[in-house]
Amino acid sequence: VRAIGIDVGGTKVAVAAVDANGRVVARAEFPTDPARGFPRARDLMAEACDNVLSLAGWAAADLAGIGVGCTGPVDPARGTVHNPHTLPTWDGCDLVTPLRERLGVPVTLDNDAAAAAVGEAAFGAGRGADPVVVLTFGTGVGGATVVGGRVLRGAGGAHPEPGHLPVLVDGPACYCGGRGCLESVASGTAIGEAGRRAGLADARAVFAAAARGDAAAGQIVARAAEGLAAAAWLIAHAVLPERLVLGGGVMDEHFDVFAAAARDRLAAATMVPGERVRVVRAALGADAGVVGAARLGATAAG
Ligand SMILES: [Zn+2]
């Protein structure tokens, strides 16, 4: 099964030709540049599809489908984007129809966290396990649950938002209206902001200072790890996944401290077999988005 995966982020769009084993055969990318409007990006997306097909030596007729994972919220049923925060000029735009008409194959849209989760579950750190929960720690905290190879959708097709699980009762107020959300204590943004209040430049500086034994920095990292441990506890009791996959910029370098906190907490569970939830590091890196989007595109048709 051959497919194209498209990963639309706030800063760049990545397009890849992906084979049946989840391998990226050819890739292209361009800046999202939302200030320049949707029609430009729509045309560049179609051109990039043509480019990766030609680089891979494939024809459009070889494709099982195209999947688009877009920074959300999105409406998968209508194929439209509704993200006034990072894609203001794309609000309500249809990503699916132009690609389907131009390439003549089925096109599926989902949010980027769902695409990355499907990629990790099918070809990465979740391979062979079911169900799989994937949490991605970057600017925010995204996540999704994959059951039987399919991403779990909620009421009306909408996605749950595990980044807004409340994990610290006395935690900071979150823009969602809640308090002590996982995202507001453990995202790169949250760690960086807490660091600035302690006189540190950014999240990287916080981790570096913590490693040198700086008490304030150590406390910020400990609080983020504590937040993740509480989230792992909630997820284990609500979903009991076989694997909890942790990815994103924060986990690329600091997985061990977060995984240790989550494992310690899970080991203390008495109502569920917490030790059966394996906490693992994401394996696909930045490719999770395009690989998962391609998988969504290939499987939606079948
Ligand atoms: Zn929140």
Side-chain angles (χ1 to χ4, degrees):
V1 181
R2 294 169 170 178
I4 287 179
I6 303 179
D7 183 14
V8 181
T11 53
K12 72 167 190 187
V13 178
V15 179
V18 179
D19 73 11
N21 298 314
R23 272 193 291 268
V24 172
V25 176
R27 71 173 78 230
E29 63 178 62
F30 59 90
T32 315
D33 216 348
R36 294 177 65 189
F38 176 70
R40 164 194 165 272
R42 176 197 62 206
D43 294 346
L44 287 175
M45 228 178 285
E47 278 169 33
C49 287
D50 290 342
N51 287 343
V52 296
L53 283 176
S54 128
L55 285 168
W58 299 353
D62 296 334
L63 296 174
I66 297 175
V68 184
C70 182
T71 173
V74 301
D75 183 337
R78 296 172 58 211
T80 50
V81 182
H82 304 275
N83 183 347
H85 304 291
T86 37
L87 298 173
T89 59
W90 295 28
D91 202 34
C93 290
D94 180 352
L95 267 70
V96 165
T97 309
L99 287 171
R100 189 177 58 220
E101 287 176 350
R102 167 126 168 204
L103 287 120
V105 297
V107 181
T108 308
L109 174 70
D110 218 313
N111 78 24
D112 53 352
V118 167
E120 287 291 344
F123 301 112
R127 192 168 202 161
D130 186 27
V132 175
V133 172
V134 180
L135 295 176
T136 303
F137 297 75
T139 312
V141 176
T145 300
V146 180
V147 184
R150 294 197 172 257
V151 67
L152 177 72
R153 291 206 177 131
H159 288 287
E161 287 285 346
H164 296 274
L165 286 172
V167 293
L168 287 187
V169 283
D170 60 344
C174 177
Y175 63 88
C176 75
R179 181 168 285 280
C181 294
L182 178 59
E183 176 165 317
S184 65
V185 295
S187 65
T189 308
I191 293 167
E193 274 171 15
R196 276 188 288 283
R197 285 194 293 276
L200 296 157
D202 52 19
R204 187 172 296 272
V206 171
F207 283 110
R212 288 194 306 268
D214 178 278
Q219 210 163 25
I220 295 167
V221 173
R223 214 157 95 110
E226 156 70 23
L228 170 63
W233 176 270
L234 292 170
I235 289 166
H237 287 79
V239 180
L240 196 63
E242 265 189 6
R243 276 183 220 163
L244 176 59
V245 179
L246 308 179
V250 171
M251 296 301 159
D252 288 346
E253 292 180 52
H254 307 287
F255 170 79
D256 291 339
V257 59
F258 286 93
R263 287 171 185 144
D264 282 356
R265 188 65 57 86
L266 289 169
T270 58
M271 299 306 291
V272 295
E275 74 287 351
R276 299 210 41 187
V277 181
R278 283 188 53 215
V279 181
V280 295
R281 189 201 307 250
L284 300 181
D287 278 349
V290 285
V291 168
R295 176 78 171 183
L296 283 169
T299 51

